[in-house]
Amino acid sequence: MIAESHRASQPEHLRVGLPQPRVIERWLCQALDRQGVIDPHERRAMLTDLYDRLECGEPLQYVLGTWQFRWIELRVDRRALIPRPETELMVEWILAELAGRESPRVLELGTGTGAIAAALAHELPSVSVVATDVSADALALAQDNIVSLRLNRCIDLRQGSWWEAVEEHERFDLICSNPPYIADTEWNSLDPMVRDWEPRRALTAGPTGLECYEVIFHEARGRLGGQQGAVVLEIGSSQGFNVRRLAIDAGFDDVVIHKDLAGRDRFLVARFR
Ligand SMILES: C[S@@+](CC[C@H](N)C(=O)[O-])C[C@H]1O[C@@H](n2cnc3c(N)ncnc32)[C@H](O)[C@@H]1O
């Protein structure tokens, strides 16, 4: 997820390196190009509208309507969380776990825009992904994305709360998730650009922030097929100890925490020997 990007105390993550005004103007113009708006009057009116949206505090990514995630361009709007740069790094850890596997079967819980599933399918054509979300809105956006990227043949989108979307008999080589991990009490301290625009359901987990990890680890071990399965999760920078404990309690005995580019604990990889 976006980790400390959520927190007003660490806004640098959130802003994702907001570009210079001239760059923003170029991107807005490109957004109009993509929509096929060529009439100069119409362009000017629409550009004014886009600037007004930015002025109101709407995130640049939503205003542009598309955002780059690794090698793919995704449609983004208020139906789902904006994919963050840390999550691009999480895909690296997933790919590392899948290296050498012939036709890996991956489960992604809480897919949002479909960013992780689509990036995996794009970079690893032999993969098949079941990608779930509780939000019908997010899944509709994910569907748009995987269809326009022509990845729908290897991604199976399903609606349901966590394990409810997975059949009893299904087994996977890898389970990944960037679940909500903000504690309810942190909601009011989030940067307004996050709190006022992105779906709350994508951000908050419950009273402690660990609730989604608890649900995921409750069944993860039994849903991995072979002896080499792995769970790869994005975590909040202060959650490493607790999520590691959940993984160990769930039967994983090889649990590693990896850092993001800012040097903060951000990813957990759990395996069993
Ligand atoms: C932090 S967002 C991550 C979205 C996307 N995977 C990404 O990395 O950009 C968490 C996602 O989990 C979904 N979610 C929240 N509660 C859920 C639940 N009970 N079952 C399944 N997904 C859930 C949200 O709708 C949201 O899309």
Side-chain angles (χ1 to χ4, degrees):
M1 188 179 33
I2 57 177
E4 272 46 37
S5 352
H6 297 128
R7 297 169 201 215
S9 55
Q10 284 149 330
E12 76 278 8
H13 251 133
L14 172 72
R15 305 262 165 193
V16 191
L18 209 59
Q20 297 294 312
R22 291 174 72 126
V23 175
I24 292 180
E25 172 143 357
R26 180 151 40 90
W27 287 358
L28 294 176
C29 288
Q30 286 167 351
L32 296 180
D33 292 344
R34 273 194 297 274
Q35 290 173 44
V37 185
I38 46 174
D39 176 71
H41 298 291
E42 197 184 348
R43 276 181 84 86
R44 189 161 311 149
M46 287 182 76
L47 202 55
T48 302
D49 181 52
L50 297 179
Y51 272 116
D52 286 348
R53 288 170 60 188
L54 287 175
E55 198 69 20
C56 288
E58 185 169 347
L60 175 64
Q61 294 90 337
Y62 286 160
V63 174
L64 292 172
T66 61
W67 197 244
Q68 191 77 22
F69 184 82
R70 291 179 67 89
W71 308 105
I72 53 178
E73 190 169 81
L74 294 165
R75 295 179 193 177
V76 292
D77 61 40
R78 294 190 69 180
R79 288 175 289 177
L81 188 98
I82 298 163
R84 299 311 207 264
E86 302 90 290
T87 310
E88 297 185 54
L89 204 49
M90 177 180 165
V91 175
E92 289 292 324
W93 290 112
I94 298 171
L95 290 171
E97 286 303 308
L98 297 177
R101 287 174 186 263
E102 261 178 31
S103 303
R105 196 165 150 72
V106 172
L107 171 65
E108 191 210 350
L109 295 165
T111 195
T113 55
I116 296 171
L120 284 176
H122 180 77
E123 294 178 50
L124 196 62
S126 66
V127 80
S128 60
V129 187
V130 172
T132 77
D133 209 292
V134 74
S135 159
D137 280 348
L139 281 174
L141 180 58
Q143 174 75 11
D144 281 355
N145 276 319
I146 67 167
V147 168
S148 62
L149 291 163
R150 298 177 198 276
L151 296 170
N152 40 318
R153 282 213 313 211
C154 45
I155 302 176
D156 176 5
L157 290 176
R158 299 188 197 163
Q159 188 179 6
S161 182
W162 306 126
W163 298 106
E164 283 170 23
V166 182
E167 303 279 344
E168 202 59 49
H169 65 273
E170 288 182 293
R171 295 293 177 270
F172 302 91
D173 298 303
L174 185 140
I175 297 164
C176 59
S177 184
N178 172 19
Y181 55 69
I182 300 294
D184 292 339
T185 49
E186 292 179 274
W187 179 249
N188 286 330
S189 63
L190 295 186
D191 188 306
M193 197 183 274
V194 174
R195 193 186 57 216
D196 298 347
W197 294 92
E198 298 195 77
R200 179 166 183 159
R201 191 152 58 171
L203 293 163
T204 54
T208 68
L210 294 169
E211 288 78 2
C212 302
Y213 299 114
E214 289 165 1
V215 177
I216 290 170
F217 275 118
H218 190 254
E219 293 207 24
R221 177 79 166 76
R223 299 300 188 136
L224 290 169
Q227 280 302 310
Q228 293 178 337
V231 174
V232 181
L233 301 173
E234 192 169 317
I235 60 170
S237 65
S238 60
Q239 293 176 320
F241 178 86
N242 287 322
V243 185
R244 187 167 195 278
R245 172 53 48 203
L246 290 172
I248 291 167
D249 289 349
F252 293 88
D253 53 9
D254 179 9
V255 184
V256 187
I257 307 277
H258 297 286
K259 294 187 185 301
D260 62 19
L261 294 177
R264 300 188 182 104
D265 288 353
R266 185 66 60 214
F267 312 106
L268 177 138
V269 178
R271 309 181 196 99
F272 49 91
R273 285 185 271 251

PDB file of all heavy atoms in Angstrom, residues 24-56:
ATOM      1  N   ILE A  24       3.585  19.410 -15.375  1.00  0.00           N
ATOM      2  CA  ILE A  24       2.159  19.143 -15.125  1.00  0.00           C
ATOM      3  C   ILE A  24       1.338  19.598 -16.329  1.00  0.00           C
ATOM      4  O   ILE A  24       0.462  18.878 -16.813  1.00  0.00           O
ATOM      5  CB  ILE A  24       1.686  19.849 -13.838  1.00  0.00           C
ATOM      6  CG1 ILE A  24       2.359  19.207 -12.631  1.00  0.00           C
ATOM      7  CG2 ILE A  24       0.167  19.781 -13.711  1.00  0.00           C
ATOM      8  CD1 ILE A  24       1.981  19.801 -11.299  1.00  0.00           C
ATOM      9  N   GLU A  25       1.639  20.796 -16.838  1.00  0.00           N
ATOM     10  CA  GLU A  25       0.879  21.303 -17.986  1.00  0.00           C
ATOM     11  C   GLU A  25       1.021  20.351 -19.183  1.00  0.00           C
ATOM     12  O   GLU A  25       0.044  20.037 -19.872  1.00  0.00           O
ATOM     13  CB  GLU A  25       1.358  22.705 -18.367  1.00  0.00           C
ATOM     14  CG  GLU A  25       0.727  23.159 -19.668  1.00  0.00           C
ATOM     15  CD  GLU A  25       0.383  24.624 -19.710  1.00  0.00           C
ATOM     16  OE1 GLU A  25       0.568  25.312 -18.702  1.00  0.00           O
ATOM     17  OE2 GLU A  25      -0.065  25.066 -20.785  1.00  0.00           O
ATOM     18  N   ARG A  26       2.249  19.877 -19.406  1.00  0.00           N
ATOM     19  CA  ARG A  26       2.452  18.949 -20.531  1.00  0.00           C
ATOM     20  C   ARG A  26       1.630  17.683 -20.312  1.00  0.00           C
ATOM     21  O   ARG A  26       0.984  17.186 -21.233  1.00  0.00           O
ATOM     22  CB  ARG A  26       3.950  18.636 -20.667  1.00  0.00           C
ATOM     23  CG  ARG A  26       4.259  17.684 -21.806  1.00  0.00           C
ATOM     24  CD  ARG A  26       5.649  17.904 -22.380  1.00  0.00           C
ATOM     25  NE  ARG A  26       6.637  18.166 -21.361  1.00  0.00           N
ATOM     26  CZ  ARG A  26       7.380  17.239 -20.734  1.00  0.00           C
ATOM     27  NH1 ARG A  26       7.222  15.986 -21.034  1.00  0.00           N
ATOM     28  NH2 ARG A  26       8.280  17.572 -19.843  1.00  0.00           N
ATOM     29  N   TRP A  27       1.643  17.161 -19.089  1.00  0.00           N
ATOM     30  CA  TRP A  27       0.889  15.933 -18.822  1.00  0.00           C
ATOM     31  C   TRP A  27      -0.606  16.155 -19.001  1.00  0.00           C
ATOM     32  O   TRP A  27      -1.314  15.291 -19.517  1.00  0.00           O
ATOM     33  CB  TRP A  27       1.177  15.441 -17.399  1.00  0.00           C
ATOM     34  CG  TRP A  27       2.549  14.854 -17.237  1.00  0.00           C
ATOM     35  CD1 TRP A  27       3.494  14.696 -18.218  1.00  0.00           C
ATOM     36  CD2 TRP A  27       3.132  14.341 -16.038  1.00  0.00           C
ATOM     37  NE1 TRP A  27       4.628  14.139 -17.691  1.00  0.00           N
ATOM     38  CE2 TRP A  27       4.436  13.905 -16.357  1.00  0.00           C
ATOM     39  CE3 TRP A  27       2.695  14.227 -14.722  1.00  0.00           C
ATOM     40  CZ2 TRP A  27       5.292  13.358 -15.411  1.00  0.00           C
ATOM     41  CZ3 TRP A  27       3.538  13.672 -13.777  1.00  0.00           C
ATOM     42  CH2 TRP A  27       4.819  13.238 -14.119  1.00  0.00           C
ATOM     43  N   LEU A  28      -1.097  17.315 -18.547  1.00  0.00           N
ATOM     44  CA  LEU A  28      -2.526  17.604 -18.716  1.00  0.00           C
ATOM     45  C   LEU A  28      -2.878  17.680 -20.199  1.00  0.00           C
ATOM     46  O   LEU A  28      -3.914  17.163 -20.640  1.00  0.00           O
ATOM     47  CB  LEU A  28      -2.895  18.907 -18.006  1.00  0.00           C
ATOM     48  CG  LEU A  28      -2.785  18.905 -16.465  1.00  0.00           C
ATOM     49  CD1 LEU A  28      -3.090  20.294 -15.904  1.00  0.00           C
ATOM     50  CD2 LEU A  28      -3.732  17.876 -15.844  1.00  0.00           C
ATOM     51  N   CYS A  29      -1.990  18.313 -20.982  1.00  0.00           N
ATOM     52  CA  CYS A  29      -2.240  18.407 -22.426  1.00  0.00           C
ATOM     53  C   CYS A  29      -2.235  17.022 -23.062  1.00  0.00           C
ATOM     54  O   CYS A  29      -3.055  16.716 -23.938  1.00  0.00           O
ATOM     55  CB  CYS A  29      -1.186  19.296 -23.098  1.00  0.00           C
ATOM     56  SG  CYS A  29      -1.422  21.037 -22.678  1.00  0.00           S
ATOM     57  N   GLN A  30      -1.324  16.178 -22.584  1.00  0.00           N
ATOM     58  CA  GLN A  30      -1.292  14.809 -23.120  1.00  0.00           C
ATOM     59  C   GLN A  30      -2.573  14.055 -22.761  1.00  0.00           C
ATOM     60  O   GLN A  30      -3.061  13.235 -23.546  1.00  0.00           O
ATOM     61  CB  GLN A  30      -0.059  14.064 -22.587  1.00  0.00           C
ATOM     62  CG  GLN A  30       1.233  14.525 -23.258  1.00  0.00           C
ATOM     63  CD  GLN A  30       2.482  14.025 -22.532  1.00  0.00           C
ATOM     64  OE1 GLN A  30       2.409  13.471 -21.441  1.00  0.00           O
ATOM     65  NE2 GLN A  30       3.640  14.241 -23.149  1.00  0.00           N
ATOM     66  N   ALA A  31      -3.109  14.345 -21.568  1.00  0.00           N
ATOM     67  CA  ALA A  31      -4.376  13.704 -21.174  1.00  0.00           C
ATOM     68  C   ALA A  31      -5.481  14.112 -22.144  1.00  0.00           C
ATOM     69  O   ALA A  31      -6.317  13.294 -22.545  1.00  0.00           O
ATOM     70  CB  ALA A  31      -4.738  14.072 -19.736  1.00  0.00           C
ATOM     71  N   LEU A  32      -5.473  15.396 -22.549  1.00  0.00           N
ATOM     72  CA  LEU A  32      -6.475  15.850 -23.524  1.00  0.00           C
ATOM     73  C   LEU A  32      -6.234  15.186 -24.885  1.00  0.00           C
ATOM     74  O   LEU A  32      -7.178  14.821 -25.585  1.00  0.00           O
ATOM     75  CB  LEU A  32      -6.432  17.375 -23.651  1.00  0.00           C
ATOM     76  CG  LEU A  32      -6.803  18.154 -22.383  1.00  0.00           C
ATOM     77  CD1 LEU A  32      -6.736  19.656 -22.633  1.00  0.00           C
ATOM     78  CD2 LEU A  32      -8.206  17.775 -21.907  1.00  0.00           C
ATOM     79  N   ASP A  33      -4.955  15.050 -25.256  1.00  0.00           N
ATOM     80  CA  ASP A  33      -4.630  14.358 -26.521  1.00  0.00           C
ATOM     81  C   ASP A  33      -5.229  12.950 -26.522  1.00  0.00           C
ATOM     82  O   ASP A  33      -5.823  12.509 -27.503  1.00  0.00           O
ATOM     83  CB  ASP A  33      -3.108  14.228 -26.704  1.00  0.00           C
ATOM     84  CG  ASP A  33      -2.438  15.576 -26.926  1.00  0.00           C
ATOM     85  OD1 ASP A  33      -3.152  16.550 -27.243  1.00  0.00           O
ATOM     86  OD2 ASP A  33      -1.197  15.650 -26.756  1.00  0.00           O
ATOM     87  N   ARG A  34      -5.038  12.280 -25.380  1.00  0.00           N
ATOM     88  CA  ARG A  34      -5.533  10.894 -25.296  1.00  0.00           C
ATOM     89  C   ARG A  34      -7.042  10.838 -25.454  1.00  0.00           C
ATOM     90  O   ARG A  34      -7.589   9.872 -25.975  1.00  0.00           O
ATOM     91  CB  ARG A  34      -5.140  10.263 -23.946  1.00  0.00           C
ATOM     92  CG  ARG A  34      -3.756   9.620 -23.950  1.00  0.00           C
ATOM     93  CD  ARG A  34      -3.590   8.732 -22.732  1.00  0.00           C
ATOM     94  NE  ARG A  34      -3.657   9.486 -21.508  1.00  0.00           N
ATOM     95  CZ  ARG A  34      -2.620  10.102 -20.947  1.00  0.00           C
ATOM     96  NH1 ARG A  34      -1.432  10.031 -21.509  1.00  0.00           N
ATOM     97  NH2 ARG A  34      -2.760  10.789 -19.840  1.00  0.00           N
ATOM     98  N   GLN A  35      -7.703  11.896 -24.979  1.00  0.00           N
ATOM     99  CA  GLN A  35      -9.170  11.927 -25.111  1.00  0.00           C
ATOM    100  C   GLN A  35      -9.594  12.411 -26.492  1.00  0.00           C
ATOM    101  O   GLN A  35     -10.777  12.538 -26.785  1.00  0.00           O
ATOM    102  CB  GLN A  35      -9.766  12.854 -24.056  1.00  0.00           C
ATOM    103  CG  GLN A  35      -9.648  12.307 -22.643  1.00  0.00           C
ATOM    104  CD  GLN A  35     -10.098  13.343 -21.606  1.00  0.00           C
ATOM    105  OE1 GLN A  35     -11.116  14.001 -21.773  1.00  0.00           O
ATOM    106  NE2 GLN A  35      -9.320  13.503 -20.559  1.00  0.00           N
ATOM    107  N   GLY A  36      -8.623  12.751 -27.339  1.00  0.00           N
ATOM    108  CA  GLY A  36      -8.926  13.185 -28.704  1.00  0.00           C
ATOM    109  C   GLY A  36      -9.512  14.580 -28.781  1.00  0.00           C
ATOM    110  O   GLY A  36     -10.247  14.895 -29.732  1.00  0.00           O
ATOM    111  N   VAL A  37      -9.220  15.422 -27.790  1.00  0.00           N
ATOM    112  CA  VAL A  37      -9.755  16.789 -27.803  1.00  0.00           C
ATOM    113  C   VAL A  37      -8.818  17.659 -28.640  1.00  0.00           C
ATOM    114  O   VAL A  37      -7.677  17.914 -28.236  1.00  0.00           O
ATOM    115  CB  VAL A  37      -9.855  17.368 -26.364  1.00  0.00           C
ATOM    116  CG1 VAL A  37     -10.533  18.726 -26.382  1.00  0.00           C
ATOM    117  CG2 VAL A  37     -10.581  16.396 -25.457  1.00  0.00           C
ATOM    118  N   ILE A  38      -9.276  18.119 -29.794  1.00  0.00           N
ATOM    119  CA  ILE A  38      -8.376  18.903 -30.656  1.00  0.00           C
ATOM    120  C   ILE A  38      -8.824  20.357 -30.836  1.00  0.00           C
ATOM    121  O   ILE A  38      -7.999  21.227 -31.088  1.00  0.00           O
ATOM    122  CB  ILE A  38      -8.184  18.244 -32.053  1.00  0.00           C
ATOM    123  CG1 ILE A  38      -9.534  17.813 -32.621  1.00  0.00           C
ATOM    124  CG2 ILE A  38      -7.235  17.059 -31.979  1.00  0.00           C
ATOM    125  CD1 ILE A  38      -9.437  17.295 -34.046  1.00  0.00           C
ATOM    126  N   ASP A  39     -10.109  20.619 -30.665  1.00  0.00           N
ATOM    127  CA  ASP A  39     -10.583  21.991 -30.828  1.00  0.00           C
ATOM    128  C   ASP A  39      -9.940  22.899 -29.763  1.00  0.00           C
ATOM    129  O   ASP A  39     -10.046  22.619 -28.559  1.00  0.00           O
ATOM    130  CB  ASP A  39     -12.114  22.016 -30.677  1.00  0.00           C
ATOM    131  CG  ASP A  39     -12.641  23.440 -30.743  1.00  0.00           C
ATOM    132  OD1 ASP A  39     -12.613  24.016 -31.832  1.00  0.00           O
ATOM    133  OD2 ASP A  39     -13.028  23.962 -29.662  1.00  0.00           O
ATOM    134  N   PRO A  40      -9.253  23.986 -30.176  1.00  0.00           N
ATOM    135  CA  PRO A  40      -8.504  24.813 -29.225  1.00  0.00           C
ATOM    136  C   PRO A  40      -9.377  25.400 -28.112  1.00  0.00           C
ATOM    137  O   PRO A  40      -8.955  25.474 -26.963  1.00  0.00           O
ATOM    138  CB  PRO A  40      -7.910  25.937 -30.076  1.00  0.00           C
ATOM    139  CG  PRO A  40      -8.095  25.525 -31.489  1.00  0.00           C
ATOM    140  CD  PRO A  40      -9.114  24.443 -31.551  1.00  0.00           C
ATOM    141  N   HIS A  41     -10.606  25.795 -28.437  1.00  0.00           N
ATOM    142  CA  HIS A  41     -11.486  26.371 -27.403  1.00  0.00           C
ATOM    143  C   HIS A  41     -11.870  25.305 -26.376  1.00  0.00           C
ATOM    144  O   HIS A  41     -11.844  25.542 -25.166  1.00  0.00           O
ATOM    145  CB  HIS A  41     -12.735  26.985 -28.038  1.00  0.00           C
ATOM    146  CG  HIS A  41     -12.406  28.108 -28.974  1.00  0.00           C
ATOM    147  ND1 HIS A  41     -11.909  29.313 -28.535  1.00  0.00           N
ATOM    148  CD2 HIS A  41     -12.469  28.176 -30.318  1.00  0.00           C
ATOM    149  CE1 HIS A  41     -11.680  30.089 -29.581  1.00  0.00           C
ATOM    150  NE2 HIS A  41     -12.016  29.426 -30.674  1.00  0.00           N
ATOM    151  N   GLU A  42     -12.220  24.161 -26.939  1.00  0.00           N
ATOM    152  CA  GLU A  42     -12.600  23.056 -26.046  1.00  0.00           C
ATOM    153  C   GLU A  42     -11.403  22.653 -25.180  1.00  0.00           C
ATOM    154  O   GLU A  42     -11.532  22.405 -23.976  1.00  0.00           O
ATOM    155  CB  GLU A  42     -13.067  21.862 -26.891  1.00  0.00           C
ATOM    156  CG  GLU A  42     -13.852  20.847 -26.093  1.00  0.00           C
ATOM    157  CD  GLU A  42     -14.222  19.617 -26.916  1.00  0.00           C
ATOM    158  OE1 GLU A  42     -14.060  19.649 -28.169  1.00  0.00           O
ATOM    159  OE2 GLU A  42     -14.655  18.638 -26.308  1.00  0.00           O
ATOM    160  N   ARG A  43     -10.223  22.632 -25.790  1.00  0.00           N
ATOM    161  CA  ARG A  43      -9.013  22.268 -25.024  1.00  0.00           C
ATOM    162  C   ARG A  43      -8.789  23.249 -23.883  1.00  0.00           C
ATOM    163  O   ARG A  43      -8.498  22.851 -22.762  1.00  0.00           O
ATOM    164  CB  ARG A  43      -7.776  22.271 -25.942  1.00  0.00           C
ATOM    165  CG  ARG A  43      -7.586  20.997 -26.713  1.00  0.00           C
ATOM    166  CD  ARG A  43      -6.334  21.086 -27.567  1.00  0.00           C
ATOM    167  NE  ARG A  43      -5.114  20.741 -26.846  1.00  0.00           N
ATOM    168  CZ  ARG A  43      -4.657  19.500 -26.697  1.00  0.00           C
ATOM    169  NH1 ARG A  43      -5.314  18.489 -27.195  1.00  0.00           N
ATOM    170  NH2 ARG A  43      -3.530  19.283 -26.048  1.00  0.00           N
ATOM    171  N   ARG A  44      -8.923  24.554 -24.206  1.00  0.00           N
ATOM    172  CA  ARG A  44      -8.671  25.555 -23.170  1.00  0.00           C
ATOM    173  C   ARG A  44      -9.666  25.389 -22.012  1.00  0.00           C
ATOM    174  O   ARG A  44      -9.295  25.419 -20.846  1.00  0.00           O
ATOM    175  CB  ARG A  44      -8.759  26.966 -23.753  1.00  0.00           C
ATOM    176  CG  ARG A  44      -8.279  28.026 -22.765  1.00  0.00           C
ATOM    177  CD  ARG A  44      -7.935  29.329 -23.429  1.00  0.00           C
ATOM    178  NE  ARG A  44      -7.069  29.148 -24.590  1.00  0.00           N
ATOM    179  CZ  ARG A  44      -7.076  29.936 -25.665  1.00  0.00           C
ATOM    180  NH1 ARG A  44      -7.906  30.948 -25.737  1.00  0.00           N
ATOM    181  NH2 ARG A  44      -6.255  29.732 -26.662  1.00  0.00           N
ATOM    182  N   ALA A  45     -10.932  25.169 -22.369  1.00  0.00           N
ATOM    183  CA  ALA A  45     -11.955  25.017 -21.320  1.00  0.00           C
ATOM    184  C   ALA A  45     -11.667  23.772 -20.473  1.00  0.00           C
ATOM    185  O   ALA A  45     -11.763  23.799 -19.233  1.00  0.00           O
ATOM    186  CB  ALA A  45     -13.332  24.911 -21.973  1.00  0.00           C
ATOM    187  N   MET A  46     -11.282  22.713 -21.161  1.00  0.00           N
ATOM    188  CA  MET A  46     -11.030  21.465 -20.420  1.00  0.00           C
ATOM    189  C   MET A  46      -9.778  21.576 -19.560  1.00  0.00           C
ATOM    190  O   MET A  46      -9.723  21.059 -18.443  1.00  0.00           O
ATOM    191  CB  MET A  46     -10.930  20.279 -21.378  1.00  0.00           C
ATOM    192  CG  MET A  46     -12.301  19.902 -21.935  1.00  0.00           C
ATOM    193  SD  MET A  46     -12.252  18.479 -23.015  1.00  0.00           S
ATOM    194  CE  MET A  46     -12.074  17.140 -21.844  1.00  0.00           C
ATOM    195  N   LEU A  47      -8.770  22.277 -20.098  1.00  0.00           N
ATOM    196  CA  LEU A  47      -7.543  22.474 -19.321  1.00  0.00           C
ATOM    197  C   LEU A  47      -7.844  23.272 -18.046  1.00  0.00           C
ATOM    198  O   LEU A  47      -7.356  22.946 -16.955  1.00  0.00           O
ATOM    199  CB  LEU A  47      -6.512  23.210 -20.186  1.00  0.00           C
ATOM    200  CG  LEU A  47      -5.037  23.073 -19.816  1.00  0.00           C
ATOM    201  CD1 LEU A  47      -4.611  21.613 -19.735  1.00  0.00           C
ATOM    202  CD2 LEU A  47      -4.165  23.816 -20.823  1.00  0.00           C
ATOM    203  N   THR A  48      -8.681  24.279 -18.190  1.00  0.00           N
ATOM    204  CA  THR A  48      -9.073  25.083 -17.024  1.00  0.00           C
ATOM    205  C   THR A  48      -9.762  24.185 -15.988  1.00  0.00           C
ATOM    206  O   THR A  48      -9.495  24.269 -14.790  1.00  0.00           O
ATOM    207  CB  THR A  48     -10.043  26.205 -17.461  1.00  0.00           C
ATOM    208  OG1 THR A  48      -9.380  26.976 -18.447  1.00  0.00           O
ATOM    209  CG2 THR A  48     -10.443  27.089 -16.289  1.00  0.00           C
ATOM    210  N   ASP A  49     -10.597  23.310 -16.496  1.00  0.00           N
ATOM    211  CA  ASP A  49     -11.309  22.395 -15.600  1.00  0.00           C
ATOM    212  C   ASP A  49     -10.327  21.467 -14.864  1.00  0.00           C
ATOM    213  O   ASP A  49     -10.451  21.246 -13.656  1.00  0.00           O
ATOM    214  CB  ASP A  49     -12.315  21.582 -16.432  1.00  0.00           C
ATOM    215  CG  ASP A  49     -13.106  20.633 -15.564  1.00  0.00           C
ATOM    216  OD1 ASP A  49     -13.664  21.100 -14.566  1.00  0.00           O
ATOM    217  OD2 ASP A  49     -13.146  19.424 -15.890  1.00  0.00           O
ATOM    218  N   LEU A  50      -9.335  20.971 -15.603  1.00  0.00           N
ATOM    219  CA  LEU A  50      -8.351  20.078 -14.972  1.00  0.00           C
ATOM    220  C   LEU A  50      -7.555  20.832 -13.902  1.00  0.00           C
ATOM    221  O   LEU A  50      -7.304  20.318 -12.808  1.00  0.00           O
ATOM    222  CB  LEU A  50      -7.401  19.472 -16.020  1.00  0.00           C
ATOM    223  CG  LEU A  50      -8.054  18.568 -17.076  1.00  0.00           C
ATOM    224  CD1 LEU A  50      -7.014  18.043 -18.066  1.00  0.00           C
ATOM    225  CD2 LEU A  50      -8.784  17.391 -16.427  1.00  0.00           C
ATOM    226  N   TYR A  51      -7.178  22.083 -14.226  1.00  0.00           N
ATOM    227  CA  TYR A  51      -6.454  22.886 -13.225  1.00  0.00           C
ATOM    228  C   TYR A  51      -7.322  23.158 -12.002  1.00  0.00           C
ATOM    229  O   TYR A  51      -6.839  23.161 -10.871  1.00  0.00           O
ATOM    230  CB  TYR A  51      -5.950  24.202 -13.833  1.00  0.00           C
ATOM    231  CG  TYR A  51      -4.593  24.067 -14.470  1.00  0.00           C
ATOM    232  CD1 TYR A  51      -4.420  24.247 -15.836  1.00  0.00           C
ATOM    233  CD2 TYR A  51      -3.472  23.762 -13.696  1.00  0.00           C
ATOM    234  CE1 TYR A  51      -3.172  24.109 -16.421  1.00  0.00           C
ATOM    235  CE2 TYR A  51      -2.221  23.631 -14.272  1.00  0.00           C
ATOM    236  CZ  TYR A  51      -2.072  23.802 -15.636  1.00  0.00           C
ATOM    237  OH  TYR A  51      -0.838  23.671 -16.203  1.00  0.00           O
ATOM    238  N   ASP A  52      -8.602  23.382 -12.229  1.00  0.00           N
ATOM    239  CA  ASP A  52      -9.518  23.613 -11.102  1.00  0.00           C
ATOM    240  C   ASP A  52      -9.547  22.395 -10.185  1.00  0.00           C
ATOM    241  O   ASP A  52      -9.584  22.518  -8.961  1.00  0.00           O
ATOM    242  CB  ASP A  52     -10.945  23.895 -11.599  1.00  0.00           C
ATOM    243  CG  ASP A  52     -11.064  25.294 -12.183  1.00  0.00           C
ATOM    244  OD1 ASP A  52     -10.126  26.089 -11.995  1.00  0.00           O
ATOM    245  OD2 ASP A  52     -12.086  25.562 -12.848  1.00  0.00           O
ATOM    246  N   ARG A  53      -9.531  21.230 -10.798  1.00  0.00           N
ATOM    247  CA  ARG A  53      -9.552  20.005  -9.987  1.00  0.00           C
ATOM    248  C   ARG A  53      -8.278  19.906  -9.144  1.00  0.00           C
ATOM    249  O   ARG A  53      -8.326  19.557  -7.958  1.00  0.00           O
ATOM    250  CB  ARG A  53      -9.719  18.772 -10.885  1.00  0.00           C
ATOM    251  CG  ARG A  53     -11.129  18.673 -11.460  1.00  0.00           C
ATOM    252  CD  ARG A  53     -11.244  17.597 -12.529  1.00  0.00           C
ATOM    253  NE  ARG A  53     -10.918  16.273 -12.038  1.00  0.00           N
ATOM    254  CZ  ARG A  53     -10.802  15.186 -12.827  1.00  0.00           C
ATOM    255  NH1 ARG A  53     -10.987  15.294 -14.133  1.00  0.00           N
ATOM    256  NH2 ARG A  53     -10.506  14.013 -12.299  1.00  0.00           N
ATOM    257  N   LEU A  54      -7.151  20.240  -9.753  1.00  0.00           N
ATOM    258  CA  LEU A  54      -5.893  20.223  -8.982  1.00  0.00           C
ATOM    259  C   LEU A  54      -5.963  21.241  -7.841  1.00  0.00           C
ATOM    260  O   LEU A  54      -5.528  20.968  -6.724  1.00  0.00           O
ATOM    261  CB  LEU A  54      -4.701  20.552  -9.880  1.00  0.00           C
ATOM    262  CG  LEU A  54      -4.261  19.472 -10.869  1.00  0.00           C
ATOM    263  CD1 LEU A  54      -3.152  20.003 -11.769  1.00  0.00           C
ATOM    264  CD2 LEU A  54      -3.776  18.225 -10.124  1.00  0.00           C
ATOM    265  N   GLU A  55      -6.516  22.402  -8.178  1.00  0.00           N
ATOM    266  CA  GLU A  55      -6.638  23.477  -7.187  1.00  0.00           C
ATOM    267  C   GLU A  55      -7.475  23.020  -5.986  1.00  0.00           C
ATOM    268  O   GLU A  55      -7.216  23.400  -4.853  1.00  0.00           O
ATOM    269  CB  GLU A  55      -7.326  24.662  -7.885  1.00  0.00           C
ATOM    270  CG  GLU A  55      -7.195  25.996  -7.211  1.00  0.00           C
ATOM    271  CD  GLU A  55      -5.769  26.542  -7.259  1.00  0.00           C
ATOM    272  OE1 GLU A  55      -4.959  26.106  -8.094  1.00  0.00           O
ATOM    273  OE2 GLU A  55      -5.499  27.372  -6.423  1.00  0.00           O
ATOM    274  N   CYS A  56      -8.467  22.181  -6.244  1.00  0.00           N
ATOM    275  CA  CYS A  56      -9.336  21.680  -5.167  1.00  0.00           C
ATOM    276  C   CYS A  56      -8.655  20.592  -4.344  1.00  0.00           C
ATOM    277  O   CYS A  56      -9.258  20.051  -3.409  1.00  0.00           O
ATOM    278  CB  CYS A  56     -10.615  21.086  -5.742  1.00  0.00           C
ATOM    279  SG  CYS A  56     -11.719  22.325  -6.387  1.00  0.00           S
TER     280      CYS A  56
END
